[in-house]
Amino acid sequence: MPPRIRRLLRIALAVTLWAAVMAGTCVAGVAVSMRDSYPGPVRAVPAGGWPPAREVPRERPIAQEASREQEQPSVRETPSATAPVRTGVRRVSVRSAPPGQIKVAVVVGASGSVTTDVLGPYEVFARSSRFFVYTVSARREPVPLSGGLRVLPERTLAETAAGETAPDVVVVPAVVDPEGEAEAPLRSWIGRQAARGARILGVCAGSRLVAASGLLRGRSATSHWGVIGPLQQDYPDTRWVRGRRYVEDGPVTTTAGVTSGTVGALRLVERLAGIAEARRVGGEVGYPGWSPDASTAIPAGEPALEDLPYALNAAFPWFEPVVGVGLNQGVSEIDVAAAFEIYAGGSFAARAVALAGTTVVTTRHGMTLVAEPADGTAPAVTRLVAPGVGTAREVDPALVRWAAGRGVAVELPHAGRAAGESGFDPVLRDLAAHTDLATARATAKYNEYPIEHLTLTGPAWSWRPTLLFLLTALGAGLLSYTAVRLMPR
């Protein structure tokens, strides 16, 4: 073989080895990030056992019948420069639902669910007295949520299959394995609830679980911008729509990414409880730019260079900070979601650990969260933040004592929050200040959260994962060069 050909082959082999080492490192890093994002089993059941579930109201509203009168066939307008395409049910005047609470079941997948997909819609519905909201899963045992949180479902699928405990609305979040065997009972349950007349709200990539349940055939739907391509390939019998905050098609509503579930839930509050109630709840949760009359059009996301910090954080998690999220009794669900989503699950900028004075924390509207007790067995943390707390006096004394013993301060990202401001705004500002601007902006994009109204300050770039990438690239280069040099000539 001519020497020139041999040199070219050796160079090609060196490049291939370098690429293989880099790819293997990135795959391993993403696996570590995903493993750390979903916590393992709880260490022990509380001495008194898990708290009992709240009693479900027995009166059944005729929510579906009232709302069906408002629906018209799907409308599609010819697109133009000034008139975006509208897909779904025509907006008409909404008559309030009849007396009696409307039951909303927020699904929690056995394989794990996205935190904000669960907690965001839960708080929206629970802020209205017209709704009774509960979590449901295959078994009544703690299940993981992204970012490092666990939730104890109030009821099982079997308990809510039919009768007075069956839901009128089902919220379907993104789950880890929507088409796997572990979620087969959930898929069947969702299909049965839809068949008996329940409305379905698919949040973010929860649209895949809705599609796998057979409910999107022949319908229009949307999802997170990053998964619409694969969904189009796997479910071609669904009309997948890009660039919409939510899409309605009959009794099925699907939303864009993560925080869009809040807007989708507000739309159902408007449909089932009236526009005045939706305005009141929407004003309380403070989603930027939301109003009942706001356009559903949003930027159609695409992968871009600006997403690099998100990818680097996911692929190079080593030496990342550990953020302890201190949970207080009665904390807002959306404030909790913001902490776990922005610091960890939706950014991979840190690993988050749920800490509390007791194992069980009950949120403002009755959701049961499971945390690591703030004692001698709790893991070490780089920072300790207490979401949803305005002053230091409101922090659980057990958390204060634990932090003092560990030499860390209790930080309050929501202190000084403006009236009507979303719980996500202060945490994004805090992420930018403690991590970097590029990571904060990429995190907002992947959570499909608008930040045009925010002033973010902090370092320009995320150097920890960048340096790890450069060191890995250098090490892979040296390894491949040495391997090729040692080959027989």
Side-chain angles (χ1 to χ4, degrees):
M1 184 181 296
R4 182 178 180 183
I5 299 298
R6 286 201 299 270
R7 284 196 300 273
L8 289 174
L9 288 175
R10 294 167 76 87
I11 291 172
L13 179 59
V15 171
T16 301
L17 287 173
W18 180 87
V21 172
M22 290 298 297
T25 303
C26 291
V27 168
V30 171
V32 170
S33 294
M34 293 303 296
R35 181 201 66 194
D36 290 345
S37 185
Y38 288 90
V42 294
R43 288 182 288 166
V45 177
W50 299 117
R54 296 169 297 161
E55 183 178 353
V56 176
R58 291 195 171 276
E59 68 277 7
R60 282 191 64 78
I62 317 172
Q64 292 85 2
E65 285 72 8
S67 60
R68 285 190 190 115
E69 296 177 4
Q70 306 155 22
E71 294 177 3
Q72 302 293 331
S74 296
V75 174
R76 287 175 178 78
E77 300 172 357
T78 303
S80 68
T82 58
V85 174
R86 294 185 180 275
T87 305
V89 177
R90 187 193 302 271
R91 182 185 294 275
V92 294
S93 60
V94 178
R95 190 182 74 181
S96 296
Q101 285 185 301
I102 301 166
K103 300 178 188 65
V104 179
V106 180
V107 165
V108 185
S111 59
S113 302
V114 172
T115 293
T116 302
D117 291 7
V118 174
L119 274 67
Y122 184 101
E123 177 164 345
V124 169
F125 287 114
R127 277 183 175 271
S128 172
S129 62
R130 299 302 307 276
F131 298 89
F132 179 84
V133 192
Y134 57 88
T135 49
V136 61
S137 192
R139 292 178 296 277
R140 194 163 194 266
E141 58 187 35
V143 290
L145 299 181
S146 64
L149 187 60
R150 301 181 189 90
V151 63
L152 177 69
E154 279 203 83
R155 279 176 166 71
T156 67
L157 301 178
E159 291 171 340
T160 56
E164 296 298 332
T165 58
D168 305 295
V169 177
V170 176
V171 178
V172 183
V175 302
V176 172
D177 191 14
E179 293 147 334
E181 186 62 28
E183 304 296 1
L186 178 55
R187 292 194 297 272
S188 298
W189 181 86
I190 292 171
R192 290 196 301 273
Q193 299 314 304
R196 46 167 291 278
R199 286 181 171 272
I200 307 298
L201 174 61
V203 179
C204 188
S207 56
R208 179 173 285 275
L209 180 54
V210 178
S213 302
L215 303 182
L216 293 183
R217 296 190 188 99
R219 295 188 184 277
S220 296
T222 192
S223 190
H224 188 285
W225 60 264
V227 301
I228 286 184
L231 284 169
Q232 288 174 326
Q233 296 178 0
D234 296 340
Y235 297 95
D237 52 1
T238 300
R239 297 180 294 274
W240 295 101
V241 181
R242 295 179 181 272
R244 315 304 296 185
R245 183 65 73 183
Y246 62 83
V247 168
E248 295 178 292
D249 197 325
V252 179
T253 302
T254 50
T255 80
V258 194
T259 65
S260 303
T262 297
V263 179
L266 285 167
R267 174 58 172 156
L268 286 185
V269 171
E270 178 189 352
R271 280 204 166 275
L272 300 176
I275 193 169
E277 184 70 347
R279 286 189 187 279
R280 184 189 66 79
V281 175
E284 291 176 357
V285 300
Y287 195 90
W290 176 86
S291 77
D293 300 320
S295 170
T296 63
I298 58 174
E302 294 289 346
L305 188 61
E306 65 192 25
D307 307 333
L308 188 57
Y310 182 88
L312 288 172
N313 283 323
F316 295 92
W318 298 281
F319 309 110
E320 65 186 357
V322 179
V323 177
V325 180
L327 300 177
N328 290 271
Q329 301 292 339
V331 65
S332 154
E333 293 85 2
I334 289 179
D335 289 351
V336 172
F340 284 97
E341 202 72 66
I342 299 304
Y343 292 126
S347 69
F348 297 113
R351 182 165 67 88
V353 178
L355 296 169
T358 58
T359 303
V360 174
V361 174
T362 303
T363 63
R364 178 182 298 175
H365 301 102
M367 183 182 288
T368 303
L369 305 179
V370 180
E372 298 286 342
D375 55 24
T377 64
V381 300
T382 311
R383 301 176 61 198
L384 178 62
V385 299
V389 175
T391 65
R393 293 189 300 274
E394 301 173 44
V395 180
D396 187 332
L399 285 171
V400 175
R401 290 191 298 270
W402 183 86
R406 296 295 183 97
V408 296
V410 181
E411 302 175 44
L412 312 178
H414 290 106
R417 171 171 46 177
E421 186 177 42
S422 165
F424 278 79
D425 288 1
V427 184
L428 276 166
R429 287 194 292 263
D430 190 68
L431 179 71
H434 284 85
T435 306
D436 61 274
L437 293 171
T439 293
R441 290 171 181 144
T443 299
K445 177 180 176 179
Y446 271 80
N447 284 275
E448 298 214 49
Y449 185 80
I451 58 171
E452 294 79 7
H453 64 292
L454 289 180
T455 300
L456 302 177
T457 58
W461 189 254
S462 181
W463 288 109
R464 180 196 59 80
T466 302
L467 291 174
L468 287 175
F469 169 81
L470 295 174
L471 289 172
T472 302
L474 178 61
L478 291 174
L479 179 63
S480 60
Y481 174 78
T482 302
V484 171
R485 290 282 295 177
L486 293 176
M487 291 177 60
R489 294 182 178 274

